[in-house]
Amino acid sequence: MNLNFTPEELAFRDEVRRFIDENFDDEMRAAMKKTRTGYIAKHLHIRWQKKLNEKGWLAPNWPQEYGGPGWTAVQRYIFDQEMGSAGAPIVVPFGPRMLAPVIMKFGTEAQKKKYLPDILASNTWWCQGYSEPGAGSDLASLQMKCEDKGDHFLCNGSKIWTSEAQHADMIFCLVRTAQTKKPQEGISFILIDMKSPGVTVAPIVTIDEPTEGMQEVNQVFFDDVKVPKENLVGELNQGWTCAKYLLEFERGNAYSAGLKRHLAHVRRIAQAESRGGGNPLIEDPSFAARLAQTEIDIMALEMTELRILGQLRGGQNVGAASSILKTRGTELQQAVTELAADAIGYYAAPFTPLYEGGNEPGIGPDYADGVAARYLNMRKVTIYAGSNEIQRNIMSKLILGL
């Protein structure tokens, strides 16, 4: 396995760094320092994504025929690493990363022409309608009903934990179009306009967002919502195939760059904070050992990412390896935020709400901002996109052959 970048790849890395320096402006940087989720104000995401699109870099995983940059797997990895290291805004994934590949593979030509350009231009904002109150990791048990009414579909039910639904123009949904013995059958993949009569978005306020303006997740209700027949993606009752294909793109993240950046913040806190005796926390043997072990674990994850990258560069299909990255990456996200909360000590208890327009004085030092909120928010990461227990089942079956 060759872990060295070529001169051309190093030149590309430098180009990415220049782009970040020129376009990651002060307003975005201030917002990213406050976010605990990666989401910032919608207008800032749109500004950033339009800059990426002007450069031709918004959709690294898209084929060139649809507007992708034609990057190699190594270039995509370098891009993700540099963005993570810089703490740059995320590209909100629901349209560019998740829905677009499904439309490219299963959509009609009319759907491709209608939706893909607007996704690339960030003109249409999407959210994902998969989970339901009784169907999360057991997604095949979903029950949102979609009835064929001749010239349209009629949808009734709800979706839950729908990130950023309050800002979305459209939602892609898995719906029940037939009752079958095998639950994976009878599911279809459809696109619904969020402005349709009968669509209601209700916020779900979580423990990490005690103030207005910080809300992330929602429940979306559908009450006799009419959906045009042309909004069906793929074949009727074959939506499970689309769902599995989409999850391949939801789970294959590169985690190590962001983890290293957050661990460096933990180290800065530990150097500034003290415990009994007045010595810096970084000198406490127990905490130092935890910090070192977490750093070793992140280095091991980075080597796994590079190993998978090497396989991709060699034209291999890594398949279920995305489950390895999702499982270990999210576990380490939790470990790093736990270290940060432990390091900040009692300043984490009355954590300062971070929201636009707030003028309350901060509680504790600047580096305490957001530590507790991020810790609380990261409790979710081992559950979403398929819980880690499910990922271990996938690995045991497809990698270990058990």
Side-chain angles (χ1 to χ4, degrees):
M1 179 175 64
N2 183 3
L3 301 182
N4 296 316
F5 293 129
T6 66
E8 293 77 15
E9 290 163 350
L10 292 174
F12 173 73
R13 182 197 63 188
D14 293 340
E15 184 181 4
V16 174
R17 290 177 178 177
R18 285 194 299 273
F19 175 87
I20 294 171
D21 289 341
E22 294 168 2
N23 295 284
F24 187 16
D25 61 43
D26 291 341
E27 186 179 7
M28 293 180 195
R29 290 179 186 273
M32 287 301 295
K33 286 181 180 178
K34 295 181 179 181
T35 182
R36 77 224 179 284
T37 63
Y39 295 116
I40 52 179
K42 183 178 178 178
H43 75 278
L44 295 178
H45 276 299
I46 291 176
R47 183 195 305 169
W48 178 248
Q49 292 183 192
K50 285 186 177 293
K51 289 288 187 181
L52 286 169
N53 190 40
E54 290 172 8
K55 184 70 171 176
W57 288 358
L58 179 73
N61 61 319
W62 287 28
Q64 284 182 285
E65 63 182 293
Y66 295 115
W71 286 347
T72 64
V74 177
Q75 287 176 300
R76 290 198 297 271
Y77 179 81
I78 290 172
F79 178 79
D80 288 343
Q81 288 285 302
E82 292 303 320
M83 291 294 168
S85 295
I90 63 170
V91 171
V92 177
F94 308 111
R97 182 169 178 171
M98 298 165 69
L99 175 63
V102 173
I103 290 179
M104 291 175 196
K105 187 171 181 67
F106 300 102
T108 64
E109 288 304 313
Q111 289 171 340
K112 295 173 186 177
K113 291 178 181 178
K114 180 177 181 179
Y115 295 113
L116 295 180
D118 275 347
I119 291 173
L120 202 60
S122 297
N123 292 335
T124 303
W125 216 246
W126 289 84
C127 61
Q128 179 186 26
Y130 269 29
S131 295
E132 297 181 5
S137 291
D138 182 20
L139 188 59
S141 63
L142 66 89
Q143 293 300 317
M144 179 172 161
K145 184 182 294 186
C146 180
E147 300 175 276
D148 189 337
K149 294 298 184 179
D151 62 343
H152 66 274
F153 294 117
L154 192 68
C155 291
N156 284 278
S158 73
K159 296 294 179 180
I160 202 166
W161 310 122
T162 313
S163 297
E164 302 297 295
Q166 73 271 32
H167 301 308
D169 305 301
M170 299 283 294
I171 182 171
F172 55 90
C173 284
L174 291 179
V175 292
R176 177 68 60 187
T177 45
Q179 294 293 336
T180 57
K181 291 183 178 179
K182 189 175 181 180
Q184 288 86 348
E185 298 173 354
I187 292 174
S188 297
F189 191 106
I190 64 170
L191 314 175
I192 302 176
D193 190 327
M194 293 290 283
K195 297 182 292 295
S196 302
V199 177
T200 305
V201 178
I204 299 174
V205 179
T206 55
I207 193 172
D208 62 321
E209 47 191 40
T211 58
E212 184 179 357
M214 294 181 65
Q215 175 243 332
E216 176 191 4
V217 294
N218 309 268
Q219 186 167 4
V220 185
F221 296 91
F222 302 86
D223 183 14
D224 285 341
V225 176
K226 293 183 179 180
V227 181
K229 285 287 190 71
E230 61 264 27
N231 285 22
L232 174 70
V233 178
E235 298 181 24
L236 189 69
N237 300 325
Q238 298 300 313
W240 193 249
T241 301
C242 298
K244 291 190 296 182
Y245 185 71
L246 183 148
L247 286 172
E248 293 180 19
F249 296 92
E250 186 177 9
R251 293 171 179 164
N253 296 326
Y255 291 88
S256 60
L259 287 167
K260 287 191 289 186
R261 180 170 54 85
H262 286 298
L263 192 68
H265 182 59
V266 174
R267 185 172 283 106
R268 287 193 295 272
I269 294 174
Q271 290 168 342
E273 289 293 308
S274 62
R275 291 296 184 262
N279 294 325
L281 178 61
I282 195 73
E283 296 178 6
D284 178 83
S286 177
F287 187 87
R290 291 175 59 201
L291 189 67
Q293 184 59 57
T294 304
E295 184 171 17
I296 291 168
D297 290 341
I298 292 172
M299 292 171 64
L301 176 65
E302 184 176 27
M303 289 301 103
T304 301
E305 291 175 349
L306 290 169
R307 176 173 55 81
I308 292 173
L309 179 64
Q311 292 173 332
L312 288 170
R313 183 155 55 178
Q316 299 181 44
N317 182 0
V318 298
S322 61
S323 293
I324 299 175
L325 298 182
K326 194 274 176 181
T327 300
R328 200 67 188 116
T330 53
E331 288 173 345
L332 287 170
Q333 284 178 325
Q334 291 182 343
V336 170
T337 55
E338 183 175 341
L339 274 174
D342 288 349
I344 205 64
Y346 55 79
Y347 285 126
F351 70 92
T352 305
L354 301 172
Y355 59 96
E356 189 172 357
N359 59 3
E360 296 89 346
I363 301 174
D366 290 344
Y367 53 73
D369 283 351
V371 168
R374 292 186 188 97
Y375 166 80
L376 294 168
N377 187 269
M378 285 294 125
R379 301 307 95 192
K380 70 186 180 186
V381 296
T382 52
I383 299 173
Y384 67 40
S387 72
N388 284 9
E389 290 78 8
I390 297 296
Q391 302 308 314
R392 288 187 173 88
N393 287 343
I394 292 171
M395 289 184 281
S396 66
K397 180 179 180 180
L398 299 182
I399 297 177
L400 301 178
L402 300 178

